[in-house]
Structure formats: C-alpha cells, structure tokens
Amino acid sequence: MPRYEFRCRACGDTFEINRPMAEASAPAACPQGHDDTVKLLSAVSVTGRGGSVAGGAVGAGPAGGGCCGGACGC
C-alpha cells in the first residue's frame, strides 16, 4: 500500500499515511488534530543495472548504458 507524506500548515508537523491509491487525493488531518494539511511530493529514486547478459555472467558482454544500450560505444 502506498505511503503518502503530508505537512500540517497549522503546526508544521510532517507525517505519513498509508492508504490505497484510490484515496490518494483524500484530505488528511495531522496527528495533532489540525485539518489544514498539504500532501507533499515525494521523489523516488531507483538505481540498478538495466538488462542482463545471457547466462548471468558478469562482464561477458556490453555493459549497457549510453544512448543505445552500449552498442555504439558511447
């Protein structure tokens, strides 16, 4: 279930709420009881190596990346 981060405009508290995506835009009261809150935009970063080499051997082929997945050598 997604976790959404909110900030209370009244007290400045930042808090998180787990709720279904269908309720993503629903208002949320802060833990102190204030109703004047705003949902924060959270950035997610996913890193890793794209693609895999047949057989799973590391270093057995082009390393991917660049403008065309490594085929041009850039």
Side-chain angles (χ1 to χ4, degrees):
M1 187 172 309
R3 181 176 303 197
Y4 298 96
E5 189 174 21
F6 291 84
R7 177 170 294 138
C8 178
R9 291 180 181 170
C11 66
D13 193 17
T14 300
F15 59 98
E16 297 178 343
I17 295 179
N18 294 327
R19 59 169 58 158
M21 290 177 73
E23 298 176 14
S25 61
C30 89
Q32 304 301 320
H34 304 120
D35 290 324
D36 189 11
T37 60
V38 62
K39 187 167 75 167
L40 302 177
L41 178 62
S42 299
V44 176
S45 176
V46 179
T47 61
R49 191 172 163 174
S52 62
V53 178
V58 176
C67 66
C68 60
C72 70
C74 63

